[in-house]
Amino acid sequence: MNGIKYGVFTEKSVWLWLENNQYTSNVESGLTRTEIKHWVELFFGVKVIAMNSYRVKGKGRRIRPILGHTTHYKRMIITLQPGYSIPPLSYIR
């Protein structure tokens, strides 16, 4: 489970979890959707219906004269079949 960094708990992600049985988490940017689907099904013992992913661009940062940016990362929204669930605190680090 090194690919899944941590679960995302924002207002939107909690609403998706309660209403649509969807879970949001940040993952390593080099992983594919099929790899993440396989890991989630194997580790949590659930059935995944669909996965949506998007790349979140890092924000610009300035430390006096040096311009830089934070790292980019990938976010996955995983939809589970009805009747399956992931305990929300099981994938928080």
Side-chain angles (χ1 to χ4, degrees):
M1 288 301 296
N2 294 334
I4 298 177
K5 292 182 181 178
Y6 50 87
V8 176
F9 293 99
T10 60
E11 185 176 349
K12 180 181 178 180
S13 67
V14 171
W15 179 79
L16 287 173
W17 172 53
L18 293 174
E19 296 291 325
N20 302 329
N21 201 22
Q22 294 179 334
Y23 295 84
T24 307
S25 62
N26 290 344
V27 297
E28 295 290 333
S29 60
L31 296 176
T32 62
R33 298 170 90 177
T34 55
E35 290 174 340
I36 295 296
K37 179 181 178 180
H38 176 71
W39 282 13
V40 168
E41 287 180 345
L42 184 68
F43 187 74
F44 294 113
V46 296
K47 296 291 182 181
V48 176
I49 294 175
M51 296 184 66
N52 297 331
S53 65
Y54 58 96
R55 186 171 164 259
V56 180
K57 186 177 178 182
K59 296 180 180 180
R61 295 286 185 247
R62 173 189 281 277
I63 302 174
R64 294 201 179 174
I66 301 170
L67 294 174
H69 60 84
T70 60
T71 58
H72 309 300
Y73 57 93
K74 187 183 274 189
R75 183 167 285 172
M76 301 291 283
I77 300 174
I78 302 163
T79 306
L80 301 181
Q81 283 185 353
Y84 288 97
S85 65
I86 298 174
L89 298 177
S90 65
Y91 67 108
I92 295 177
R93 290 187 181 178

